[in-house]
């Protein structure tokens, strides 16, 4: 199948022709040709900047954009129809999840084409079909077991998240090269739904992931302007919230808002990828940037606290939303005690965010919506947000943003086992097409798996010692732990399920991205090669 010299090499499926029309593929092709080369240049720039940071152990606010930061006069575009975002739920674009999330009582559903979604061809195309069906309120369905899924009268606003700039879409070739996954996801959704949304009195909202600089935000802004012009809708129709989930981006929050100012809908504290970015950026700097067990790195440790305080202040200074981080707990149907302990932590986390000035927060499960909502209701009351709270008392330095060595906690054998266990279990789920995996009462996605494998890489390559056993973390020790983990999984799921799953591949990929001499920038890149 072709459209404007593009080739679709993925298989056909039911209703795919509704999404992959010649006109829509032509639109994506145009985006790829116009903006693909800049995307490649900016990805190269990431690596250069990472190398500089690794050599010096430092990042800083940019001298060349000082005027943007110090200019107190500019603001982002005024708020549109969506003014209350106090609780947002996240998840993949699978049909059942869409209905449950839209009905959850949350204000927004972040419909994820990225970390919570394995990029199979089916997931990407079917996800587009599902989102359009949701907009048109024709997504109701009945399972083979007879269970009905129907939309309520009032549902969450839809906010898709396209893939990050680093990810390709190998099933669509333009000039014999895979298109950008970002441009594919954004382009198809915008092409098919912008007029639908405008006709319903709203507009297209997006979340934008994984950016590392204001130049990458500028690229998105140029994409938005061209897309709006091409389809004859006013510039500024699109609104986008940027996840600040990389260390470099934390130093350019003002600049990212400025570049997207006509389309900006604020920033989000993407806590899990942010932790991953700290490890990745400074992975070979030794003890200076060595983090303890991942469960010890809470939002109250110094470097995470500095980042969230700066985010709220920066957003509100520019009249933009400041959105809090994810609560990943999944309530247990069998263990009330586990629920009570976990919900207490969720409640404390959301109380802190609301009192710090965040305008809303994320949860991963519908059962957490009331808990998060209650904490924001206490602070917001009848107000839709607290953008008027400017936080002038906040003063965050570059050193505070980089203070990883002030994080309390130890590296332990339990932490090592958790990393190996979660990494292998998540990758196996991902390979089977499920990018949002419930593991030990937590919703794990690619970001949390990245923390697990990058910590193992960092510990191995910097000769970390386990506090409880005194052992040095070596590749041999990691493989021994992987033996124990996979044996436990086999005993848990049974021989047939183990052998019929993708456990061997999952372990191979985990060891590749956790133990290789050269650090793989994203585990999803080699894993993507194993998908059809």
């Amino acid at each position: 199948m072709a459209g404007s010299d593009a080739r679709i090499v993925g298989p056909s499926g039911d209703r795919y022709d509704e999404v992959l029309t010649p006109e829509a593929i032509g639109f994506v092709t145009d985006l790829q040709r116009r903006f693909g080369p800049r995307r490649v240049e900016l990805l190269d720039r990431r690596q250069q900047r990472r190398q500089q940071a690794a050599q010096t152990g430092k990042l800083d606010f940019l001298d060349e954009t000082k005027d943007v930061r110090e200019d107190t006069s500019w603001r982002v575009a005024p708020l549109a129809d969506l003014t209350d975002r106090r609780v947002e739920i996240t998840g993949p674009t699978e049909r059942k999840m869409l209905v449950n999330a839209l009905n959850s009582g949350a204000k927004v559903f972040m419909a994820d084409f990225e970390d919570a979604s394995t990029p199979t061809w089916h997931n990407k195309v079917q996800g587009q079909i599902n989102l359009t069906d949701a907009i048109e309120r024709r997504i109701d369905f009945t399972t083979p077991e007879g269970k009905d899924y129907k939309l309520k009268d009032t549902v969450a606003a839809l906010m898709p998240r396209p893939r990050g700039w680093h990810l390709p879409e190998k099933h669509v070739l333009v000039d014999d090269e895979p298109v950008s996954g970002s441009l594919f996801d954004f382009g198809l959704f915008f092409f098919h739904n912008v007029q639908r949304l405008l006709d319903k009195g709203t507009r297209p909202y997006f979340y934008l992931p994984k950016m590392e600089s204001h130049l990458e935000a500028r690229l998105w802004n140029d994409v938005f302007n061209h897309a709006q012009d091409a389809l004859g809708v006013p510039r500024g129709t699109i609104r986008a919230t940027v996840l600040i989930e990389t260390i470099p981006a934390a130093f350019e929050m003002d600049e990212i808002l400025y570049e997207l100012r006509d389309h900006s809908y604020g920033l989000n504290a993407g806590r899990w990828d942010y932790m991953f970015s700290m490890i990745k950026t400074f992975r070979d700097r030794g003890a200076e940037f060595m983090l303890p067990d991942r469960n010890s790195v809470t939002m109250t440790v110094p470097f995470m606290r500095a980042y969230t305080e700066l985010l709220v202040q920066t957003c509100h200074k520019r009249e933009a939303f400041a959105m809090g981080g994810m609560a990943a707990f999944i309530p247990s149907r069998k263990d009330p005690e586990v629920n009570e302990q976990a919900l207490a932590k969720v409640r404390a986390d959301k109380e802190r965010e609301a009192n710090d000035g965040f305008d809303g927060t994320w949860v991963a499960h519908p059962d957490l919506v009331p808990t998060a909502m209650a904490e924001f209701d206490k602070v917001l009351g009848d107000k839709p947000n607290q953008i008027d709270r400017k936080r002038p008392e906040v003063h965050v330095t570059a050193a505070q943003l980089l203070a990883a060595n002030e994080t309390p906690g130890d590296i332990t054998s339990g932490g090592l086992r958790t990393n190996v266990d979660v990494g292998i279990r998540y990758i196996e789920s991902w390979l089977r097409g499920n990018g949002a995996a419930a593991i030990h009462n937590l919703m794990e996605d690619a970001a949390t798996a990245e923390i697990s494998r990058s910590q193992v890489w960092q510990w191995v390559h910097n000769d970390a010692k386990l506090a409880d056993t005194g052992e040095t973390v070596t590749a041999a020790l990691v493989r021994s732990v992987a033996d124990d983990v996979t044996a436990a999984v086999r005993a848990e799921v049974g021989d047939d399920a183990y052998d019929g799953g993708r456990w061997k591949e999952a372990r191979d990929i985990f060891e590749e991205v956790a133990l290789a001499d050269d650090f793989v920038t994203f585990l999803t890149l080699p894993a993507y090669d194993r998908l059809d």
Side-chain angles (χ1 to χ4, degrees):
M1 182 176 175
S4 301
D5 301 320
R7 285 193 297 129
I8 296 178
V9 296
S12 187
D14 184 38
R15 299 181 63 194
Y16 282 22
D17 58 340
E18 296 177 22
V19 170
L20 305 173
T21 64
E23 296 79 9
I25 295 301
F27 182 72
V28 170
T29 299
D30 180 44
L31 293 178
Q32 173 65 24
R33 286 184 172 149
R34 288 176 183 273
F35 302 107
R38 270 175 64 193
R39 164 186 171 259
V40 172
E41 291 172 4
L42 289 170
L43 291 176
D44 289 341
R45 183 179 181 272
R46 285 185 182 181
Q47 298 309 310
Q48 297 167 11
R49 193 176 186 193
R50 211 295 299 180
Q51 290 169 1
Q52 293 172 352
Q55 290 169 1
T56 62
K58 294 180 181 178
L59 283 168
D60 209 339
F61 300 98
L62 302 178
D63 287 337
E64 60 266 32
T65 55
K66 185 178 180 182
D67 289 347
V68 171
R69 290 194 303 279
E70 294 185 351
D71 182 351
T72 60
S73 65
W74 65 267
R75 302 287 185 271
V76 301
L79 298 187
D81 59 299
L82 180 60
T83 60
D84 188 335
R85 302 173 62 183
R86 65 187 71 194
V87 178
E88 301 185 345
I89 190 168
T90 73
T93 56
E94 184 265 334
R95 208 166 182 87
K96 175 182 167 184
M97 169 60 81
L98 260 170
V99 176
N100 287 340
L102 291 172
N103 286 343
S104 67
K107 300 296 184 180
V108 169
F109 173 43
M110 191 282 283
D112 199 11
F113 286 103
E114 208 226 6
D115 274 358
S117 177
T118 302
T120 63
W121 181 236
H122 172 80
N123 283 352
K124 298 302 108 177
V125 181
Q126 187 62 49
Q128 295 282 350
I129 295 169
N130 292 345
L131 293 189
T132 297
D133 283 352
I135 292 168
E136 295 293 349
R137 297 189 66 90
R138 61 188 184 212
I139 200 168
D140 300 352
F141 69 100
T142 302
T143 67
E145 296 76 29
K147 186 172 182 180
D148 291 330
Y149 288 85
K150 298 183 183 300
L151 289 182
K152 297 178 180 177
D153 291 340
T154 301
V155 297
L158 200 58
M159 198 172 288
R161 176 167 72 170
R163 280 168 280 184
W165 283 129
H166 61 289
L167 289 168
E169 176 45 69
K170 66 183 179 182
H171 299 96
V172 180
L173 306 180
V174 171
D175 303 322
D176 294 323
E177 293 291 332
V179 302
S180 157
S182 305
L183 297 177
F184 179 82
D185 297 340
F186 160 77
L188 288 183
F189 181 84
F190 184 74
F191 183 86
H192 288 297
N193 298 304
V194 59
Q195 195 58 51
R196 284 187 166 98
L197 291 163
L198 291 173
D199 290 345
K200 293 178 185 299
T202 183
R203 64 181 65 223
Y205 291 98
F206 294 93
Y207 260 106
L208 303 178
K210 301 288 192 297
M211 276 193 265
E212 296 195 11
S213 78
H214 69 286
L215 299 180
E216 295 179 21
R218 182 181 299 170
L219 177 56
W220 267 120
N221 198 70
D222 290 346
V223 169
F224 290 165
N225 280 333
H226 176 74
Q228 291 164 135
D229 293 348
L231 296 189
V233 298
R235 291 189 173 191
T237 295
I238 295 169
R239 297 299 172 87
T241 304
V242 173
L243 289 117
I244 300 299
E245 52 188 352
T246 68
I247 294 293
F251 289 88
E252 300 183 34
M253 288 195 252
D254 266 310
E255 294 91 328
I256 287 169
L257 288 174
Y258 182 80
E259 294 294 344
L260 281 160
R261 59 194 179 279
D262 294 333
H263 300 104
S264 179
Y265 231 53
L267 306 176
N268 173 285
R271 59 175 68 174
W272 308 121
D273 265 305
Y274 193 76
M275 197 188 310
F276 164 52
S277 179
M278 176 67 85
I279 299 166
K280 178 165 71 171
T281 303
F282 299 107
R283 59 186 178 262
D284 35 25
R285 292 291 301 180
E288 182 184 4
F289 288 93
M290 193 92 73
L291 292 176
D293 293 353
R294 75 173 204 169
N295 292 338
S296 298
V297 188
T298 67
M299 295 305 294
T300 59
V301 305
F303 83 93
M304 297 294 278
R305 186 86 180 126
Y307 143 72
T308 55
E309 292 276 85
L310 181 61
L311 188 148
V312 171
Q313 183 195 57
T314 302
C315 288
H316 289 182
K317 179 173 59 178
R318 307 303 181 181
E319 302 290 329
F321 283 104
M323 302 303 299
M326 171 70 81
F329 173 64
I330 301 174
S332 170
R333 306 298 183 195
K334 300 177 181 178
D335 196 334
E337 186 176 341
V338 168
N339 287 350
E340 186 177 343
Q341 293 173 356
L343 284 173
K345 292 180 181 178
V346 171
R347 196 174 295 113
D349 182 49
K350 301 314 173 189
E351 179 183 30
R352 175 190 52 76
E353 287 183 331
N355 287 327
D356 281 350
F358 280 99
D359 302 294
T361 191
W362 274 15
V363 298
H365 193 279
D367 288 355
L368 297 185
V369 170
T371 299
M373 192 75 74
E375 296 308 317
F376 275 84
D377 287 347
K378 288 177 189 175
V379 172
L380 294 178
D382 294 333
K383 292 172 55 180
N385 55 66
Q386 51 183 334
I387 292 173
D388 59 347
R389 191 172 167 206
K390 303 304 183 188
R391 300 297 309 276
E393 75 282 6
V394 170
H395 300 282
V396 174
T397 65
Q400 288 172 318
L401 288 173
L402 297 177
N405 62 345
E406 295 180 18
T407 305
D410 294 316
I411 300 169
T412 69
S413 57
L416 176 60
R417 185 183 175 92
T418 293
N419 282 339
V420 175
D421 182 57
V422 168
I424 292 174
R425 286 177 186 265
Y426 178 78
I427 293 170
E428 198 277 337
S429 174
W430 191 94
L431 289 170
R432 287 186 290 103
N434 178 24
I439 301 173
H440 307 316
N441 292 113
L442 291 175
M443 184 64 75
E444 305 282 355
D445 66 8
T448 54
E450 291 283 25
I451 295 170
S452 293
R453 69 92 180 189
S454 62
Q455 277 206 312
V456 172
W457 193 99
Q458 186 185 40
W459 294 347
V460 168
H461 286 80
N462 291 280
D463 298 323
K465 290 191 182 302
L466 300 178
D468 52 336
T469 67
E471 292 176 279
T472 299
V473 182
T474 63
L477 177 59
V478 172
R479 291 190 179 98
S480 175
V481 173
D483 287 339
D484 292 343
V485 163
T486 52
V489 169
R490 180 182 284 276
E492 174 188 322
V493 304
D495 289 344
D496 289 345
Y498 187 91
D499 294 334
R502 303 188 70 170
W503 294 101
K504 183 180 185 305
E505 287 177 273
R507 176 173 175 172
D508 289 346
I509 292 170
F510 180 80
E511 290 189 8
E512 176 185 349
V513 297
L515 299 178
D517 289 340
D518 295 327
F519 187 89
V520 179
T521 54
F522 291 95
L523 71 80
T524 46
L525 292 173
Y528 189 44
D529 292 338
R530 300 190 184 229
L531 296 179
D532 295 332

